[in-house]
């Protein structure tokens, strides 16, 4: 092996030496040699390891020569010089390679060890060069060598597995085999392996086990669990390596995570606690077991009839007092040896048994109960009162008790932890006595004080009790005259003893760690010590030479207050000041944090505070003890005002709640003042940067817990403090302040510090605060200061209300830096603006500006003010923040800024210049710019300062355009009215309401200017429809609920102004209000406006109530039905509306009231139902059915659905009477049944796409089913109305409007359908000559318009009811979109099409083929045919007739193709094919047959 090593060394030396040689030959030589090394790793290691496995398994003292590196040497046959340097005995005779003699253990073991080391080195240092080296066969062969080698080979094999698991992947390792091999080694007698298992051996084995077990899959953990648990105690007890102990503990924890409790055997953990030096990670294992079992399982009473393993057999195995302690390398527990096969079968058997649930094994709660019994039996012998009677040394008892305490603290509310805590406290007198008498500790005192500190920390967590125990006095002694408990006083004395010069100890642990632990313990004693004791301890810690002890004492000040109460606050503030006077650099950070926590405690301990406003202390369940008080407070202290954190009750334990102490803070004001004085004293002290940063971090705690009096007294100092921190010379200080500056935004703080008093320039508190930041920007001369000021401004912007002044001022300050000369400042400002916009504006800044008009207008005003002096700001803001061009941004700004610029131009010299600059950016002139903005300018001038600036605005337009006031208003009137009515509301509701009340006076002012008359109904009669549509589209159908509510108020204003024209626009208003009442967020506002509308309608046109009554009742019935199950907050308002409609109009509309159904039986509706019942009187079944027929033919879909539901109820209630009526022979009864069936069939064919329409079809079908089979001979079929072949255009227009469009308009359930019907009526009236300019002499009647004779004749044919409906269409301004419907090629019909869709598409196609005068009629109706099927079916024959008679051959052929397409589909349906259309092919066939017959007749006539 040494010769092989030297050869490798020689090869490396040759490579190193040849690198300095020149020429291509040397370079070639070097490359070949390097290739030998690399290829040797890749190609030869597997064969070498395989040969080694064979040699090891058949080893003898002679005869084994292994040839290796064959592949590598074969590649350098052209360099014979390399072979000549090898001795002859190493050169094989049958080819290239190296012969190595591996006979005997003295040869092959060192060779294998060195080879494995080389492989490990390659894996760790050269993984890129050994790709493909580590394979599953190679790993298996390498691991198999371990079975035959010595301890050195074992260690390198362990390292090999660890490296493979870490560097590559564990999947290629035989994980289960390796783990079982390790457990077999651990199961052997340590004495037999004493020359093998040293600390280094265990270290390698432990690292291997940890790397393998921590990354293996769960099924491997389960299969090897029994083996690991079996050797766990032996391995932890006998190993000298902490690495192996840690690996075993980590493996055990994974077993607990993956395996059921049957495998855990937690009793072995308890036995290991009795070792002289138990491993610390055992507590983590116990902690996890207890946590897995859960609090309920470990809280059971230990008094029971069942025993446990620990209770029955293990107590006798504990070390006796006076006996020699068991050394670490000796065994305490007898184990039965196992062979590997036995272990394997045992594990397999164990896993098999675990899979049998509830038959041969205990349930988890049974194992938890056994563990609880074991713990109980263990705990009761750990008392100092029992150690003389029970043979257990006190040192061991304290050790076990401490470890158990640290293990079970995960569930402090369990009875076991309470018992352990009692035992921990009970040892205090004994420990103090031993320390006093012997001046040394014979046990691990640090461990005990860690446990004691844990007990004191969790002593208040017991539910329902502020003390840990009721018998605390018995445990530690009764309190004396000063209410001091002797045992706690002894701890204080012990601490004093440790600081005394005469105290000596042989223990190295009595250092600052122990002092810190004792300070922690004393701080948590609470009111069981007097103030003098606390002060003594703090005085000792103050003068300690250890900074750790001083810091611990400092952070104990708030802990003392937490556990003692507010009476100690004044003392602690004084002590904090003394700490500060020492000026120690190392404690300033803790001074700052202690001041902050004390301020919170002082500010939240007022007994008048509400529940939940006190400070609390939480502890993470997984927090490992010990922990410093600083970490404890930083992670667990919770102030309701300063610490906004979510407490996870599953992961955190509440250990202290100040509210439980219920003590008055008598020194509240003095303590607040003291906190402020100390804060400024420490802040301005000549300390380090870190100290100032710490003070800045606690600034919010001091500021938030201030009283008004103290803030007023310290106002000037706080204002100067802001300047000091904003412009501080240290960047880290400025950065720290930028994170907390938002604490000054709290209303209480701003009201006091930034009120309009001394040192303020005037203005609101928000403006005064932002002036401080503006002043800092002005004073900052360094770019680094500017950068931190930008961060502070961004923080303020993100923390402020988006509607407030602070937000906008911060926004503007960031924008102002977009043209800073420093590019870093510009980029930072741009980045912060984007960040703030993302944080503050959900959906982006553009969406925010589109909804928040006041912020948008103020922003645009600011940008326009910078347009002349800082144009780069606008361009950079457009590009960096909005992502648009400068021109696009100015285009958006123009509607907002031009009105203000024109209004302010008399006093603002820059206004006109800015207007010209805006025009230049938009490549236009001033006049077109201001003319396009005329409506907005006039609207702004009319409302701004009560219209005082209107004359100057009119004069400005007169100067620029030469037009007078009347011409200006006439040109802008339609859009101006939209601006006045549909103005966007402000966030300030008062301002919005004020402007809303001024709508009527403002429009009256315009009316006087234009007509000389202020009668609003006459002035607006031609604009009401358009204004209602504007409100609907711009406001009512927006996504903003606030804007929707404002829309309802604008509708109310229009209702006020309509006067006698209210009934004319009632259908439109009803659609809008019913839409609002269906929205939960708008229901109350919608009901209010609906009630007002009904009152106004009853005043101006009482008879028109009948047209809205049934619609309102039908809309209310569903919500009233729900009120029977759950009361609604809107019920009272609904009842008021119904009483207004029905009760107050009882005499006038009794005939219409009788058609209404009875409303749900609610007490509040009793009066309404009484009126309906009286109006209906005594009705026969025939009367009910006749009313139902009328109702089913009502124009309103909601009314038809309501009637159908009532009819369904009637059929169920009077089933026998209905049957008798059908069977009877009375002609009048049969006529009623026939009409009813016809109406129900019509309802089943309802083509409405709404939910109500679909429900109507189902209810009508249900009613037909309830009628049963009717004799066809008795059923009179009502034939369909046949269209007139010879029909003039005027007749067709009249029929369309009178029978279809007027009905569709009034029955429309949404504005889209209503507007489509209105547009069709408007265009048809135009075609018939019914629209012209209105006659100014008689403008009250729309019918008095200057119509042509043709138009007058047509108008006279309409009934008064229809005239009232269509009158607004005489002057409406609906626009027919210019849509060119390209003729579709081929038939339209598809079997999957619905009947509605097919008819609509066919009408579109036929309309595109229409010619002559009828084209205008058909085109006018192309919108309504999409929504109203009766109108579409009425028009279709005329469209087909027009195409057949006057269309092109292609048009006629398309009709033929369409008809054949439907007939073919019908034939397929008849033969069994499935047609998915809603109505079916037969209906289409009948319809086409009807059309063809009339088309044929027309053709013959021609």
């Amino acid at each position: 092996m040494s010769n092989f090593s030297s050869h490798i060394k020689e090869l490396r030396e040759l490579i190193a030496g040849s690198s300095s040689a020149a020429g291509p030959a040397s370079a070639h030589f070097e490359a070949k040699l390097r290739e030998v090394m690399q290829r040797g790793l890749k190609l030869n290691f597997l064969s070498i390891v395989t040969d080694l496995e064979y040699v090891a398994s058949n080893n003898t003292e002679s005869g084994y020569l292994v040839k290796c590196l064959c592949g590598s040497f074969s590649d350098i046959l052209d360099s014979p010089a390399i072979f000549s340097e090898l001795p002859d005995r190493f050169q094989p005779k049958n080819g290239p390679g190296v012969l190595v003699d591996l006979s005997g253990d003295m040869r092959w073991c060192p060779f294998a060890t060195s080879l494995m080391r080389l492989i490990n080195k390659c894996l760790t240092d050269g993984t890129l060069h050994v790709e493909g080296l580590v394979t599953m066969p190679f790993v298996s062969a390498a691991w198999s060598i371990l079975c035959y080698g010595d301890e050195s080979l074992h260690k390198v094999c362990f390292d090999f597995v660890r490296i493979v698991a870490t560097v590559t992947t564990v999947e290629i390792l035989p994980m289960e085999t390796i783990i079982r091999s390790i457990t077999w080694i651990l199961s052997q007698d340590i004495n037999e392996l004493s020359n093998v298992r040293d600390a280094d051996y265990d270290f390698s084995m432990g690292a291997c086990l940890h790397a393998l077990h921590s990354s293996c899959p769960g099924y491997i953990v389960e299969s090897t669990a029994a083996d690991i648990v079996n050797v766990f105690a032996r391995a932890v007890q006998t190993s000298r390596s902490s690495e192996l102990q840690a690996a075993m503990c980590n493996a055990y924890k994974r077993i607990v995570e993956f395996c059921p409790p049957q495998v855990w055997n937690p009793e072995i953990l308890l036995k290991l606690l009795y070792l002289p030096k138990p491993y610390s990670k055992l507590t983590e294992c116990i902690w996890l077991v207890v946590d897995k079992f859960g609090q309920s399982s470990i809280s059971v009473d230990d008094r029971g009839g069942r025993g446990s393993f620990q209770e029955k057999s293990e107590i006798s195995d504990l070390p006796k007092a006076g006996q020699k302690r068991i050394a670490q390398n000796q065994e305490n527990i007898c184990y039965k040896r196992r062979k590997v096969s036995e272990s394997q079968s045992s594990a397999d058997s164990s896993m098999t048994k675990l899979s049998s649930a509830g038959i041969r094994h205990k349930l988890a709660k049974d194992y938890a109960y056994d563990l609880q019994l074991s713990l109980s039996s263990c705990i009761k012998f750990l008392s100092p009162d029992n150690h003389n009677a029970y043979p257990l040394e006190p040192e061991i008892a304290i050790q076990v008790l401490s470890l158990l305490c640290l293990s079970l603290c995960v569930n402090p509310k369990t009875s076991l932890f309470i018992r352990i805590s009692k035992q921990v406290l009970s040892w205090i007198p004994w420990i103090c006595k031993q320390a006093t008498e012997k001046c040394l500790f014979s046990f691990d005192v640090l461990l005990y004080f860690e446990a004691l500190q844990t007990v004191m920390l969790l002593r208040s967590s017991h539910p329902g009790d502020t003390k840990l125990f009721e018998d605390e006095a018995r445990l530690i002694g009764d309190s004396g005259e000063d209410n001091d408990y002797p045992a706690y006083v002894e701890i204080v004395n012990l601490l004093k003893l440790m600081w005394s010069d005469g105290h000596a100890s042989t223990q190295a642990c009595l250092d600052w760690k122990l002092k810190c632990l004792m300070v922690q313990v004393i701080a948590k004693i609470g009111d069981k010590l007097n103030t003098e004791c606390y002060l003594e301890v703090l005085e000792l810690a103050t003068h300690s030479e250890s900074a750790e002890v001083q810091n611990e004492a400092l952070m104990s000040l708030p802990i003392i207050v937490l556990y003692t109460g507010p009476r100690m606050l004044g003392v602690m503030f004084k002590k904090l000041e003394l700490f500060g006077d020492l000026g120690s650099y190392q404690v300033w950070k803790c001074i700052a944090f202690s001041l902050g926590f004390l301020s919170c405690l002082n500010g939240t301990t007022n007994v008048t505070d509400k529940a939940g406003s006190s400070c609390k202390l939480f502890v993470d369940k997984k927090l490992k003890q010990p922990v410093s008080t600083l970490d404890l407070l930083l992670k667990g202290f919770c102030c309701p005002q300063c610490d906004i954190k979510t407490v996870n009750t599953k992961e955190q334990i509440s250990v202290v709640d100040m509210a439980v102490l219920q003590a008055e803070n008598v020194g509240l004001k003095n303590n607040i003042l003291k906190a402020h004085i100390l804060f400024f004293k420490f802040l301005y002290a000549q300390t380090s940067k870190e100290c100032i940063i710490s003070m800045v971090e606690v600034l919010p705690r001091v500021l938030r817990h201030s009283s008004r009096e103290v803030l007023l007294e310290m106002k000037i100092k706080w204002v100067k403090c802001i300047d000091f921190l904003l412009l501080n010379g240290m960047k880290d200080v400025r950065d720290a302040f930028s994170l907390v500056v938002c604490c000054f935004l709290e209303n209480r703080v701003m009201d006091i510090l930034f009120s309009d008093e001394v040192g303020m320039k005037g203005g609101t508190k928000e403006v005064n605060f932002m002036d401080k930041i503006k002043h800092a920007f002005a004073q900052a001369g360094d770019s680094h200061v500017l950068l931190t000021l930008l961060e502070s401004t961004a923080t303020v912007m993100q923390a402020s209300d988006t509607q407030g002044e602070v937000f906008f001022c911060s926004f503007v300050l960031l924008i102002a830096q977009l043209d800073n000369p420093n590019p870093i400042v510009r980029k930072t400002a741009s980045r912060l603006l984007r960040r703030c916009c993302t944080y503050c504006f959900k959906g982006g800044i553009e969406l925010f500006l589109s909804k928040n008009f006041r912020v948008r207008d103020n922003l645009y005003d600011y940008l326009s003010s910078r347009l002349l002096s800082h144009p780069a700001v606008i361009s950079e803001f457009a590009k960096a923040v909005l992502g648009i061009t400068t021109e696009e941004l100015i285009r958006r700004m123009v509607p907002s800024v031009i009105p203000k610029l024109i209004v302010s131009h008399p006093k603002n010299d820059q206004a006109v210049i800015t207007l010209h600059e805006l025009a230049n950016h938009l490549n236009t002139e001033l006049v077109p710019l201001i003319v396009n903005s005329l409506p907005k300018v006039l609207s702004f001038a009319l409302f701004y300062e009560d219209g005082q600036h209107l004359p100057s605005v009119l004069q400005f337009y007169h100067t620029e355009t030469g037009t007078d006031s009347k011409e200006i208003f006439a040109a802008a009137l339609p859009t101006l009215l939209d601006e006045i009515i549909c103005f966007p509301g402000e966030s300030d509701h008062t301002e919005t309401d004020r402007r809303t009340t001024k709508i009527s006076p403002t429009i009256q002012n315009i009316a006087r200017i234009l007509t000389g008359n202020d009668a609003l109904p006459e002035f607006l009669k031609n604009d009401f429809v358009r204004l209602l549509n504007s409100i609907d589209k711009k406001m009512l159908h927006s996504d903003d609920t606030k804007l929707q509510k404002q829309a309802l108020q604008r509708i109310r204003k229009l209702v006020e102004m309509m006067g006698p024209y209210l009934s004319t626009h009632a259908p439109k208003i009803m659609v809008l209000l019913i839409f609002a009442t269906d929205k939960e967020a708008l229901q109350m506002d919608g009901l209010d406006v609906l009630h007002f509308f009904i009152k106004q309608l009853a005043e101006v046109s009482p008879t028109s109530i009948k047209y809205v009554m049934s619609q309102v009742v039908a809309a209310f019935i569903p919500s009233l039905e729900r009120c029977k199950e759950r009361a609604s907050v809107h019920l009272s308002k609904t009842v008021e509306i119904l009483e207004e409609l029905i009760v107050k109009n009882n005499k006038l509309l009794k005939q219409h009231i009788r058609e209404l159904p009875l409303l749900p039986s609610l007490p509040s509706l009793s009066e309404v139902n009484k009126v309906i019942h009286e109006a209906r009187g005594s009705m026969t079944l025939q009367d009910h059915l006749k009313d139902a027929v009328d109702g089913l033919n009502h124009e309103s879909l909601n009314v038809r659905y309501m009637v159908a539901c009532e009819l369904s109820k009637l059929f169920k209630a009077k089933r026998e009477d209905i049957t008798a009526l059908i069977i009877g022979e009375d002609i009048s009864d049969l006529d009623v049944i026939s009409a009813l069936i016809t109406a129900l069939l019509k309802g089943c064919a309802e083509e409405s796409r709404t939910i109500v329409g679909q429900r109507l079809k189902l209810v009508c079908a249900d009613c037909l089913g309830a009628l049963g089979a009717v004799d066809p001979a008795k059923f009179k079929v009502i034939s369909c109305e046949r269209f007139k072949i010879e029909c003039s255009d005027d007749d067709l227009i009249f029929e369309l409007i009178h029978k279809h469009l007027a009905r569709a308009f009034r029955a429309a359930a949404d504005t889209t359908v209503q507007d489509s019907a209105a547009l069709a009526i408007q265009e048809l009236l135009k075609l018939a000559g019914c629209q012209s300019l209105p006659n100014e002499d008689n403008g009250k009647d729309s019918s008095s318009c200057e119509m042509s004779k043709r138009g007058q004749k047509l108008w006279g044919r309409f009934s008064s009811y229809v005239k009232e409906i269509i009158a607004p269409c005489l002057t409406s301004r609906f626009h027919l979109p210019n849509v060119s419907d390209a003729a579709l090629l081929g038939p339209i019909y598809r079997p999957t099409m619905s009947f509605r869709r097919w008819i609509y598409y066919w009408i579109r196609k036929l309309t595109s083929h229409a010619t002559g005068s009828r084209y205008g009629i058909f085109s006018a109706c192309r919108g309504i045919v999409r929504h109203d099927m009766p109108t579409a079916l009425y028009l279709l024959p005329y469209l087909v007739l027009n195409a057949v008679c006057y269309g092109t051959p292609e048009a006629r052929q398309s009709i033929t193709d369409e008809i054949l397409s439907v007939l073919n589909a019908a034939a397929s349906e008849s033969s069994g094919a499935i047609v998915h259309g809603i109505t079916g092919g037969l209906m289409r066939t009948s319809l086409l047959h009807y059309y063809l017959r009339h088309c044929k007749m027309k053709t013959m006539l021609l």
Side-chain angles (χ1 to χ4, degrees), residues 197-231:
R197 282 189 54 192
D198 54 8
D200 292 338
Y201 186 95
D202 283 5
F203 178 88
S204 297
M205 185 165 52
C208 173
L209 178 62
H210 176 70
L212 197 61
H213 199 278
S214 61
S215 55
C216 68
Y219 73 90
I220 299 293
V221 176
E222 295 176 354
S223 64
T224 59
D227 298 289
I228 292 178
V229 171
N230 288 337
V231 300

Side-chain angles (χ1 to χ4, degrees), residues 1111-1184:
Q1111 287 181 273
V1112 173
V1113 173
F1116 284 174
I1117 281 182
S1119 61
L1120 293 174
E1121 291 285 354
R1122 291 192 295 268
C1123 287
K1124 293 193 297 184
E1125 301 176 358
R1126 184 180 60 182
S1128 172
V1129 295
H1130 309 300
L1131 179 60
S1132 59
K1133 193 65 182 179
T1134 303
V1135 172
E1136 288 183 34
I1137 295 173
L1138 291 173
E1139 290 177 348
E1140 184 74 33
L1141 273 174
I1142 298 173
V1143 178
K1144 291 187 179 181
N1145 296 284
N1146 183 18
K1147 296 181 180 180
L1148 181 64
L1149 304 174
K1150 186 173 183 179
Q1151 179 61 31
H1152 296 278
I1153 294 174
R1154 71 180 298 275
E1155 298 175 358
L1156 298 175
L1158 288 174
L1159 301 178
S1161 299
L1162 297 173
S1164 55
L1165 292 173
S1166 58
E1167 186 67 23
V1168 178
N1169 277 326
K1170 179 181 178 182
V1171 172
I1172 296 175
H1173 184 74
E1174 292 176 353
R1176 298 176 72 172
S1178 177
M1179 296 178 64
T1180 63
L1181 178 61
Q1182 289 81 350
D1183 294 334
H1184 280 293

Side-chain angles (χ1 to χ4, degrees), residues 1154 1176 1179-1193 1203 1206-1212 1214-1215 1217-1222 1228-1237 1239-1240 1263 1267:
R1154 71 180 298 275
R1176 298 176 72 172
M1179 296 178 64
T1180 63
L1181 178 61
Q1182 289 81 350
D1183 294 334
H1184 280 293
L1185 296 180
K1186 290 178 182 178
D1187 288 346
V1189 172
D1190 295 336
L1192 289 172
N1193 291 313
V1203 172
E1206 292 299 317
L1207 181 63
S1208 178
K1209 295 177 183 178
L1210 179 66
F1211 284 171
K1212 292 177 182 178
K1214 298 185 177 182
R1215 183 179 299 275
D1217 296 337
I1218 296 292
T1219 304
L1221 196 66
I1222 295 174
S1228 60
D1229 293 344
L1230 294 178
D1231 290 341
V1232 173
I1233 295 296
S1234 297
L1236 182 62
I1237 293 175
L1240 289 174
C1263 292
L1267 279 175

Side-chain angles (χ1 to χ4, degrees), residues 1467-1483:
S1468 300
E1469 182 182 9
S1470 299
S1471 63
I1474 298 176
V1475 179
H1476 299 284
I1478 292 178
T1479 311
L1482 293 178
M1483 177 180 283

Side-chain angles (χ1 to χ4, degrees), residues 673-702:
L673 181 60
K674 190 68 175 178
H676 282 64
I677 294 173
L678 291 177
F679 173 78
F680 290 114
K681 176 182 177 181
F682 297 153
L683 180 66
Y684 296 118
Q686 298 299 322
T687 56
S688 66
K689 174 180 65 177
E690 290 75 14
C691 303
I692 299 177
I693 292 174
S694 299
M695 295 306 302
V696 172
E697 290 176 355
V698 302
L699 183 152
R701 296 186 184 272
V702 178

